[in-house]
Amino acid sequence: MKKLIYLLVICIAMMIVGDALAQRTRTNNKRRSRPKTTKVVKSKKKATAKKSTKKSTKKSSKRTSKKKNKRTVVRSKPIVNLEDSDMDPYILCEDTCDHVHGIDLSHYQGEVFWETVGNNTKMAYVYLKATEGGDRIDAKYERNIELAHRYGLKVGSYHFFRPKTPLSLQLRNFTTQCLPGEQDLIPMIDVETTGNLPTEQFCDSLMTFLRMIERTYRQKPLVYTFRNFYNKHLVGMLDDYQLMIAMYQDVEPVLADERDITMWQYTGKGRIVGVNGYIDKSRFLGDHTLREIRFRH
């Protein structure tokens, strides 16, 4: 009986040991199979990481290249070539460059860089404000006329006419500044106001003053005025005088009496290298040339 009990105990023990061994075997098999799975997962992660790294590298390189391009664009901003008319229209003319062009200046333009203006071959002449009324002298006239001559422009001088101011005072004021030896172009009289005089009285005053200028300089002056002003007050009065007509439109001016116009001031907002701010620009019309307004010494 005891032997049977011992045998049963031994059998049970062997069964327990066998189950334990089988359990270990299954566990070991699982452990052996896990590394393979882990390796596959790791390789995928590495591949994904590499792809993401490549993408991020591409993105960063794109960003870097964009930044570089932006910097390059800023650094490579084109420099205006002052000798190339196609590059900078401010040197030449707002209208067309097929005509003889010029400008007029006064103290309103401030300091003018005449060396730069003189390098502009299309600006053939300049009219400078000398005086106004009976006692006003343009503060920049003396400097402007000296430097304009120095840098090769043909120079003329103009007087702003004040109809109510005594004509003798205006003549004396103008002649003390507009010296014949300094003039390349005939004097110009700027007519823009009636001074609240009736048209007939205004015209009498103007015509008398023009004759005084003609006797003093021994040649007729050029008369500057606006188209509308001429049509309202001066039709038929200035047939013996050359005209510079101001009209800031795209088409050439035509006067009410259809008389001939020598020069056209086509803009009051022109630009030119060497002058800050706006500037008046003019050109000859038709077959008129610079020779027609040359000062005869």
Side-chain angles (χ1 to χ4, degrees), residues 220-237:
K220 291 181 182 297
L222 177 70
V223 178
Y224 167 93
T225 190
F226 284 85
R227 182 197 61 173
N228 291 345
F229 189 89
Y230 177 92
N231 288 341
K232 186 174 181 180
H233 302 288
L234 295 170
V235 171
M237 299 298 298

Side-chain angles (χ1 to χ4, degrees), residues 88-105:
D88 190 359
Y90 291 125
I91 295 182
L92 303 179
C93 41
E94 281 76 3
D95 158 295
T96 171
C97 295
D98 296 330
H99 307 89
V100 179
H101 287 258
I103 55 179
D104 64 76
L105 291 170

Side-chain angles (χ1 to χ4, degrees), residues 181-193:
E182 297 177 344
Q183 309 305 309
D184 300 304
L185 310 176
I186 59 177
M188 183 170 74
I189 307 304
D190 184 348
V191 184
E192 300 183 33
T193 177

Side-chain angles (χ1 to χ4, degrees), residues 271-284:
R271 295 281 191 176
I272 187 172
V273 175
V275 179
N276 294 322
Y278 293 130
I279 191 171
D280 296 335
K281 288 186 177 182
S282 58
R283 71 172 177 86
F284 286 88

Side-chain angles (χ1 to χ4, degrees), residues 207 210-211 214 220-221 223 238-243 259:
M207 296 309 296
L210 293 177
R211 287 190 290 269
E214 183 178 353
K220 291 181 182 297
V223 178
L238 299 171
D239 292 346
D240 295 332
Y241 295 89
Q242 296 187 85
L243 298 178
R259 65 147 296 178

Side-chain angles (χ1 to χ4, degrees), residues 38 60 91 138 144 150 166 230:
T38 306
S60 63
I91 295 182
D138 192 273
N144 282 342
R150 183 184 301 177
Y230 177 92

Side-chain angles (χ1 to χ4, degrees), residues 113-132:
F113 297 93
W114 283 104
E115 183 177 4
T116 305
V117 175
N119 288 332
N120 180 356
T121 56
K122 288 292 182 179
M123 293 298 115
Y125 63 88
V126 56
Y127 266 100
L128 301 172
K129 183 176 182 180
T131 52
E132 178 177 340

Side-chain angles (χ1 to χ4, degrees), residues 85-297:
S85 61
D86 294 329
M87 291 295 292
D88 190 359
Y90 291 125
I91 295 182
L92 303 179
C93 41
E94 281 76 3
D95 158 295
T96 171
C97 295
D98 296 330
H99 307 89
V100 179
H101 287 258
I103 55 179
D104 64 76
L105 291 170
S106 69
H107 66 279
Y108 291 112
Q109 278 73 44
E111 295 295 327
V112 176
F113 297 93
W114 283 104
E115 183 177 4
T116 305
V117 175
N119 288 332
N120 180 356
T121 56
K122 288 292 182 179
M123 293 298 115
Y125 63 88
V126 56
Y127 266 100
L128 301 172
K129 183 176 182 180
T131 52
E132 178 177 340
D135 56 3
R136 294 184 186 179
I137 298 171
D138 192 273
K140 299 293 183 182
Y141 176 72
E142 187 174 347
R143 178 183 185 275
N144 282 342
I145 196 167
E146 179 187 350
L147 295 179
H149 276 303
R150 183 184 301 177
Y151 293 108
L153 281 87
K154 301 300 181 184
V155 184
S157 304
Y158 75 89
H159 172 79
F160 191 96
F161 179 65
R162 291 289 181 184
K164 281 187 173 181
T165 302
L167 302 182
S168 58
L169 291 180
Q170 296 197 63
L171 180 65
R172 184 186 309 160
N173 189 27
F174 186 54
T175 54
T176 56
Q177 301 302 314
C178 180
L179 304 178
E182 297 177 344
Q183 309 305 309
D184 300 304
L185 310 176
I186 59 177
M188 183 170 74
I189 307 304
D190 184 348
V191 184
E192 300 183 33
T193 177
T194 63
N196 294 322
L197 294 175
T199 296
E200 185 177 354
Q201 189 177 348
F202 155 71
C203 287
D204 287 343
S205 176
L206 174 62
M207 296 309 296
T208 301
F209 186 68
L210 293 177
R211 287 190 290 269
M212 292 168 70
I213 293 290
E214 183 178 353
R215 284 195 298 270
T216 301
Y217 292 99
R218 300 181 181 179
Q219 51 205 309
K220 291 181 182 297
L222 177 70
V223 178
Y224 167 93
T225 190
F226 284 85
R227 182 197 61 173
N228 291 345
F229 189 89
Y230 177 92
N231 288 341
K232 186 174 181 180
H233 302 288
L234 295 170
V235 171
M237 299 298 298
L238 299 171
D239 292 346
D240 295 332
Y241 295 89
Q242 296 187 85
L243 298 178
M244 180 191 288
I245 296 296
M247 187 186 76
Y248 306 149
Q249 296 181 15
D250 294 334
V251 295
E252 295 181 1
V254 177
L255 300 177
D257 55 5
E258 298 185 351
R259 65 147 296 178
D260 184 56
I261 300 171
T262 303
M263 302 162 76
W264 170 30
Q265 188 183 92
Y266 56 86
T267 182
K269 292 188 175 182
R271 295 281 191 176
I272 187 172
V273 175
V275 179
N276 294 322
Y278 293 130
I279 191 171
D280 296 335
K281 288 186 177 182
S282 58
R283 71 172 177 86
F284 286 88
L285 289 177
D287 297 327
H288 293 290
T289 65
L290 191 63
R291 184 179 299 176
E292 298 174 45
I293 61 169
R294 288 286 181 92
F295 192 100
R296 297 190 308 276
H297 292 279

